[in-house]
Amino acid sequence: MKYSDRKKIRLPDATYQVRGNIYSITVATRLRTPVFTDLPFSRTCLRILEETSIAAEVRVFAYCLMPDHVHLLLGSPRASSAVNFIGAWKSRCYRERRRMGLGKPFWQRSFYDHILGSDEDLLKTARYILENPIRAGLVDRVDEYPLSGSFEFDL
């Protein structure tokens, strides 16, 4: 399939330059490979997420690394666009995985995103993201899952 024939799952590029937007983003792994069952690697990706968010001045309201995909709830980056932020984070995680001797690419090519509308509640959306492991049957309570949280809210 040619690149131009692929289904467009991202918003138009100009959308990512608007200050004040809040993005709900889902990034899948290639072929839904469960790379985030590797807890040390997953924790490294969370450290990289925090470092990247600080550098790009991005507020991370919620995150959840599921075995084969990631959910993020982000504020608009001040230092770049959301696309650049996600690209930088994915690239750094891949480099870390390659450094560990597992150099096979693991990210899906793009990501799915949604801008929260004025009628959507930030805290409800964050809770929905944090409750993903419960809905998936991985844990019984939000605080039992080690790969979800917020860099903005005390949970």
Side-chain angles (χ1 to χ4, degrees), residues 3 115 146:
Y3 180 75
I115 295 177

Side-chain angles (χ1 to χ4, degrees), residues 130-146 148:
L130 297 173
E131 290 174 350
N132 265 278
I134 296 171
R135 286 189 298 280
L138 300 174
V139 294
D140 293 322
R141 295 187 338 256
V142 168
D143 62 349
E144 295 175 335
Y145 195 69
S148 63

Side-chain angles (χ1 to χ4, degrees), residues 1 3-13 15-16 23-30 32 69-70 83 86 90 107-115:
M1 176 186 314
Y3 180 75
S4 60
D5 294 338
R6 289 187 183 150
K7 180 181 176 186
K8 305 237 187 288
I9 60 173
R10 281 198 355 231
L11 297 166
D13 288 340
T15 308
Y16 299 103
Y23 303 94
S24 176
I25 295 176
T26 303
V27 186
T29 60
R30 181 177 285 176
R32 291 295 196 164
H69 66 283
V70 175
V83 173
I86 295 297
K90 287 171 60 174
W107 288 116
Q108 179 179 313
R109 182 177 191 95
S110 189
F111 56 87
Y112 172 80
D113 53 9
H114 165 76
I115 295 177

Side-chain angles (χ1 to χ4, degrees), residues 144-155:
E144 295 175 335
Y145 195 69
L147 302 175
S148 63
S150 171
F151 299 148
E152 295 295 319
F153 302 126
D154 271 338
L155 302 176

Side-chain angles (χ1 to χ4, degrees), residues 23-146:
Y23 303 94
S24 176
I25 295 176
T26 303
V27 186
T29 60
R30 181 177 285 176
L31 302 175
R32 291 295 196 164
T33 305
V35 298
F36 296 113
T37 56
D38 178 341
L39 203 52
F41 172 67
S42 300
R43 287 191 169 130
T44 298
C45 284
L46 288 177
R47 177 185 52 77
I48 293 169
L49 178 65
E50 186 169 27
E51 290 170 357
T52 307
S53 71
I54 290 168
E57 299 181 52
V58 173
R59 297 178 75 186
V60 180
F61 298 108
Y63 60 83
C64 183
L65 277 62
M66 297 294 285
D68 62 0
H69 66 283
V70 175
H71 295 280
L72 300 170
L73 186 60
L74 308 173
S76 298
R78 291 180 193 223
S80 67
S81 74
V83 173
N84 292 341
F85 171 76
I86 295 297
W89 179 64
K90 287 171 60 174
S91 179
R92 288 186 64 197
C93 289
Y94 170 68
R95 284 195 307 267
E96 177 62 25
R97 189 132 171 104
R98 193 174 63 212
R99 190 191 65 72
M100 297 168 70
L102 304 166
K104 187 175 179 183
F106 66 92
W107 288 116
Q108 179 179 313
R109 182 177 191 95
S110 189
F111 56 87
Y112 172 80
D113 53 9
H114 165 76
I115 295 177
L116 267 62
S118 59
D119 60 335
E120 293 178 274
D121 185 277
L122 175 67
L123 292 177
K124 283 184 184 177
T125 304
R127 178 173 286 296
Y128 182 84
I129 288 171
L130 297 173
E131 290 174 350
N132 265 278
I134 296 171
R135 286 189 298 280
L138 300 174
V139 294
D140 293 322
R141 295 187 338 256
V142 168
D143 62 349
E144 295 175 335
Y145 195 69

